[in-house]
Each structure stands twice: as structure tokens, then as C-alpha cells.
Amino acid sequence: MRRPLLPALRRLLTHSVVQGAGPFALLVLLWTLVAALEIYPRNFFPGPLEVLRAFAGLVYKGVLPTYLQDSVTRLAVGAGVGVLVGIPLGLLIGLHPASYRFFWPLIIFFQAIGDIAWLPILLIWFGFTLTTMTFIIVYTVIFPMIFNAALGVRTVPMEMIRAAQSLGATRWRILGEVIIPGALPNIITGLRTGLGYGWRALIAAEIIVGTSGIGFMMFDARRSGSVVEMILGMIVLGVLWYLVDAGMLRPAERATIERWGLVRQAP
Amino acid sequence: MEGLVIRDLSKIYYGIYTGQDVAAIEDVSLEIGKGEFVAILGPSGCGKTTLLNMVAGFIPPTQGEILLNGRRIQGPGPDRGVVFQSFALFPWKTVMDNVAFGLKMRGVSKEERERVAREYVALVGLEGFEYRYPHELSGGMQQRVGVARVLANKPDLLLMDEPFASVDAQTRMTLQEELTRIWEDRQPTILFVTHDVEEAVFLANRVVVLSPRPGRVRETVEVSLRRPRTWQRLIEDLEYKGLVARVLGLVRTPVS
């Protein structure tokens, strides 16, 4: 009975979730230590247990699940629109010189305005609504997606396109069979950068515009002076993004660009 | 006529840095009959790849015309299969899917594609590697896929642009022997561009020697060495050695 225990233990220790938790365990330990030393007042610098208690309380009251759902839905809508508009637009710009000449100056101009600079006028136009927030997120998500998709098109070797042409592929088939897969490393980078920015912009928007959401919760906690809830909000942001990365982005990379040898495998 | 006709072909590039026109190819005329294996030989920069790219339809000629089976070449098409020095395989497709690509583009059914692709994968000796991705193969194996991908599409003309220049010397000799074997079996029409004199003489029925920039046809050398050709036999063959010496002389001596 002793023998099979060891491989099972090793499997457990090498499991990706456990490995991913390793660095965090250290961080939590350090946090616990600093909080326990009470260098700062406890309600000013709470420990992990207080935060955990607040987490349980907010989940129990249903506040956290509702806010979480609101934030994630907003991000999903923003990301969805960003993907549906940003990637095709990036591909178009990368492939079509006339589109490049038309869109490029506009994109650069609007990129400079930035998400937060839109807030004043958006609040006048749309008020404290979902429209305002969606606009902000789409606006943030879309630029990295456009730039990276356009760049991706240009990284596809000319000879690969020529090979497809002389094998009888039409322009549309070349787009689907050669250009898009070839641009995928950059498209995924654009997705990762865009969503990361979008996630941050969303929190900022919720702080200013929000009536719900994780960002709202954190800002609302400031009014009641609840540091515990602020820290809880920060942890939720980090964990959620980690899950998006580990649950969506990394598996997508492993199944495509790493499998095809377009990029080396991540360790 | 059947086959390839190149008439008074010139390609002039405008040098954006020098501001001057540079001729890559000048007044090249050439005919390749159906089933012929012709090598175009010349030093680097003689415009031999430019010539091949014009036949492939990738770039337009400045002057002259190219006809394949009597039809004027306007752009790239599946009647001319190209094997590239860089292989240009699709990294996101398995060996089978690379080989079946042309058939898929033509709308051939999945079962038929599978059958034909399997046949050509076997022809180039890659059984057992059908479902590997290109990056999992050696350079020599990748170029076998490149050859199979083009052959499976049954082009009227095979264009090969220094296809074995980026594999090691041993593998290159093996690939050259396999190409002659395939040609001896099936007699596809081949235009093979190389800077390697021995390769040209070993493979082709006819070696067209181009002069340095701008490329013109300097001389055409008939190679009537007995087939099947193998390195083991030819390496000691006096007729082969004599031809190599003659062609080498043509490549090395400056144009008078």
C-alpha cells in the first residue's frame, strides 16, 4: 500500500493547479506573518483570515456573486465586440493597402484619446449606464487587437502564400487556410493584451460610473472604510484574470501555435 | 505546342535606392517539351529565381511572354507546382493535410483526398509520418512533403527553386536520387533551378547555363547519361565527370 502512494503524491505535487498555487502560498504566508506582527493596526492592514471571513460574508449575502457576474458579463460583452470588430479590422488593414491608408491615421488618432478621456463626454451622452461602460471596454480592448492582427498578417511568409496560390487556392481560401493561422501567434497576443487592458479599464469604469461590479464594490468599501473588502476586491481581480489565462488563453495557445511549432512551448 | 515556351523574356527592376533600372533577366528564350527535365544553372544573382518566379506567375515579366501548353501565363495557378528552397509548408497542417492541400482547394472529396495523399506520402517514403506536423520533421523530410504536395496536385509543370539547397549533403544526395527515380517513373515536366553544377548534371536531361547579371542563356548542354542514375555509379562515370567539367568551365569563365 505504501508504494502507489508516492507516485500519487508526486502527481498531485506536479499537477498544474497545485504548481500554480505554490507562489501564492508563499505570498499568503508572508502576508499572514506581517499582519500577525501587527506593525500596522489590524483594521488598517487585515490578515488573510479577515479577508476570507469577508469573502464568506459577501458570498452569503449574495453581493459578491452578483457583482462578479456583472463585471464578467461586461468584460465578455466588451471582449466579444472587440474580437468581432478588432480582429477583422486588423486583418483588413494588414491585407489591403487602401484600407490601411484609410484606417491607419484614424486609428492612431483615436488611440491617443484613450478610454478615460472619453468618460466625461460619455457621462453626458449616456449617463451612468451599461452603454458607457461597454463603450469604454470595447474602446480599450480593440486597439491591441487591431494592431496585433495587422502585424500578424505581415509575419506570414510570402512563399507560404505563393505556395497556396500555386496549389490553386483562391484569395478567400488563402485567408482562411494560410493568413489567419499564420497570424494566430500575434492574434493571441492581441487578445491577451486587449483583454488585460479591458479588465483594468472595466474596473476603472466601475469605480467612476458603476452601480455594481467588483470595481464598484472596492470604491464603495472606501466610503465605509473597509480595507478588508478592498483587499478582497483586489484578490478577486487577480484570481479571475488568472483563471481566464489558465482556463482559456493558455489552452488555446497549447492547442494551436505551440502544437504547430510556431512558438516554443512555455515551460 | 505542349510544354513550356519562354520567348524573349526580360525582367527589369527599378532600384529604389540607386534610382536606376537593373535588368535581372534579359532576352531569355527557352522551350521545355512535355516530360523533359531541364536544369537552369547560374551563379547567385543571375536572375534564375526571377525567371522561375515569372514562370510561376508570382511576378510579371517586363517584356516577352511565357506560354504553357499554348496558354499565356497571367498569374499563379495549379497547372504549375512550385517546390521552394524554404519548403513553405503549412506549419498548422499535418503531413497528410499539406499533401492534400491542392486537392482540397479543387474540391476533391475527403475520401479521395485521403487516398491520393496517402499514395504520394508513400511515394516520397514518409509512411508512418502522416499525422506529424512539419516542425516535427527533419529538413530532408520536410522537403519530401514539399515535393509530395506538388506532385499530388498533378501539375503540367514542376518548378523547383533550389529545393535541396538547405539540407545537409548526405540528405541532398538521397533526395536527388529520389527525384530522378520519380522522374524516371512518371516523367513529369520539370524546370529545376540550381547553382550546383553536379546537381544539374546529375538530374537533368538538359542544362541551361545562364550568364551573370543580367541573366542570358549562355549555352545549353545536353545530358544523355544513362538512367536510372545513382550517385554510386555516376561518381566514377567518365562521361558524367566530363560534363561537369565542361559546365563548370562555362559557369566560371567570364563572358567574353
Side-chain angles (χ1 to χ4, degrees):
Chain A
M1 273 312 283
R2 289 186 66 98
R3 292 188 72 98
L5 196 67
L6 215 64
L9 188 70
R10 187 173 302 150
R11 224 174 305 136
L12 184 73
L13 286 175
T14 52
H15 192 277
S16 65
V17 173
V18 175
Q19 284 208 328
F24 295 109
L26 200 68
L27 193 69
V28 171
L29 198 72
L30 204 68
W31 175 20
T32 314
L33 209 68
V34 174
L37 287 173
E38 301 217 8
I39 305 167
Y40 310 104
R42 205 61 185 191
N43 59 353
F44 188 76
F45 192 91
L49 270 176
E50 284 99 320
V51 174
L52 201 66
R53 215 173 293 131
F55 173 72
L58 285 172
V59 169
Y60 181 72
K61 280 188 265 180
V63 176
L64 195 61
T66 311
Y67 283 2
L68 203 58
Q69 200 189 347
D70 286 353
S71 290
V72 170
T73 309
R74 285 167 196 157
L75 181 72
V77 170
V81 177
V83 168
L84 289 178
V85 179
I87 291 172
L89 187 59
L91 293 174
L92 182 71
I93 285 169
L95 288 167
H96 194 239
S99 301
Y100 174 87
R101 284 190 293 272
F102 181 81
F103 284 112
W104 194 257
L106 294 176
I107 288 170
I108 297 299
F109 176 83
F110 282 105
Q111 186 197 16
I113 295 171
D115 48 352
I116 300 297
W118 275 94
L119 256 183
I121 202 166
L122 288 175
L123 287 177
I124 301 277
W125 285 348
F126 304 114
F128 294 81
T129 59
L130 185 65
T131 314
T132 301
M133 262 186 290
T134 309
F135 186 100
I136 295 284
I137 297 160
V138 171
Y139 200 88
T140 318
V141 166
I142 210 165
F143 288 101
M145 289 190 179
I146 295 171
F147 290 132
N148 282 287
L151 177 69
V153 169
R154 283 188 280 151
T155 65
V156 180
M158 191 57 175
E159 300 215 316
M160 232 178 257
I161 297 168
R162 286 179 166 177
Q165 284 177 329
S166 59
L167 288 164
T170 60
R171 296 174 76 168
W172 284 106
R173 295 310 290 270
I174 290 174
L175 179 69
E177 302 273 353
V178 182
I179 307 272
I180 291 177
L184 208 58
N186 291 91
I187 291 176
I188 291 179
T189 301
L191 211 60
R192 173 170 272 141
T193 322
L195 288 180
Y197 288 174
W199 188 225
R200 283 184 250 171
L202 170 70
I203 301 309
E206 282 178 348
I207 285 175
I208 300 166
V209 185
T211 48
S212 72
I214 301 297
F216 173 75
M217 181 187 87
M218 292 168 70
F219 207 65
D220 205 38
R222 197 191 67 113
R223 251 174 290 181
S224 56
S226 171
V227 178
V228 176
E229 281 184 24
M230 293 174 201
I231 294 177
L232 177 61
M234 291 160 81
I235 293 172
V236 168
L237 293 182
V239 168
L240 214 60
W241 185 241
Y242 183 82
L243 290 179
V244 169
D245 182 81
M248 285 165 56
L249 295 172
R250 284 293 304 138
E253 280 176 342
R254 271 197 296 273
T256 57
I257 58 179
E258 285 181 13
R259 181 77 190 85
W260 304 333
L262 295 181
V263 296
R264 281 195 296 277
Q265 276 171 19
Chain B
M1 70 161 262
E2 279 225 272
L4 181 76
V5 177
I6 298 174
R7 226 176 265 147
D8 306 321
L9 198 69
S10 296
K11 180 70 189 179
I12 294 160
Y13 284 110
Y14 176 72
I16 45 168
Y17 298 113
T18 56
Q20 282 170 335
D21 286 339
V22 182
I25 281 280
E26 211 165 59
D27 291 328
V28 170
S29 293
L30 192 65
E31 286 189 10
I32 301 179
K34 188 170 189 289
E36 256 199 295
F37 193 149
V38 174
I40 305 271
L41 185 75
S44 312
C46 76
K48 53 192 191 297
T49 294
T50 303
L51 177 65
L52 182 133
N53 282 342
M54 286 192 281
V55 177
F58 298 146
I59 54 173
T62 311
Q63 267 161 40
E65 61 176 356
I66 309 168
L67 303 166
L68 180 61
N69 298 335
R71 282 193 319 273
R72 199 191 166 106
I73 286 168
Q74 307 278 8
D79 52 341
R80 285 147 291 141
V82 185
V83 180
F84 298 88
Q85 185 184 340
S86 65
F87 317 144
L89 300 178
F90 306 121
W92 39 89
K93 290 183 183 289
T94 60
V95 168
M96 280 290 276
D97 288 341
N98 265 284
V99 174
F101 185 83
L103 301 165
K104 188 179 175 188
M105 294 305 110
R106 288 212 316 253
V108 173
S109 75
K110 205 166 179 344
E111 299 78 55
E112 178 67 3
R113 262 163 25 210
E114 170 113 7
R115 193 188 61 74
V116 176
R118 236 170 242 291
E119 180 195 331
Y120 283 92
V121 167
L123 180 73
V124 296
L126 284 178
E127 294 115 318
F129 295 94
E130 286 89 348
Y131 300 102
R132 297 293 186 89
Y133 285 93
H135 77 106
E136 298 171 314
L137 307 176
S138 69
M141 291 163 92
Q142 290 189 36
Q143 196 57 300
R144 284 160 203 253
V145 178
V147 171
R149 179 174 70 173
V150 160
L151 288 174
N153 213 25
K154 295 208 171 63
D156 297 333
L157 175 65
L158 216 64
L159 299 168
M160 305 184 86
D161 185 10
E162 306 208 32
F164 308 142
S166 45
V167 297
D168 66 83
Q170 278 78 30
T171 309
R172 186 178 312 140
M173 291 171 94
T174 313
L175 290 173
Q176 287 161 346
E177 286 184 334
E178 286 179 11
L179 183 63
T180 57
R181 176 179 57 78
I182 288 169
W183 185 84
E184 284 152 14
D185 277 2
R186 298 167 175 245
Q187 247 117 76
T189 315
I190 302 181
L191 175 65
F192 191 103
V193 161
T194 181
H195 63 264
D196 181 339
V197 174
E198 285 156 330
E199 179 172 70
V201 172
F202 177 81
L203 290 172
N205 295 342
R206 190 147 55 94
V207 177
V208 177
V209 182
L210 295 187
S211 63
R213 188 176 290 256
R216 300 167 196 261
V217 177
R218 184 149 186 206
E219 198 163 324
T220 300
V221 179
E222 294 292 330
V223 182
S224 46
L225 295 167
R226 185 160 56 84
R227 289 180 186 273
R229 295 179 188 169
T230 61
W231 278 114
Q232 207 189 350
R233 186 167 61 77
L234 285 187
I235 209 91
E236 299 290 333
D237 188 281
L238 287 178
E239 193 189 347
Y240 166 77
K241 284 180 173 173
L243 280 165
V244 169
R246 190 177 148 212
V247 174
L248 201 60
L250 285 168
V251 173
R252 292 189 56 124
T253 47
V255 188
S256 50

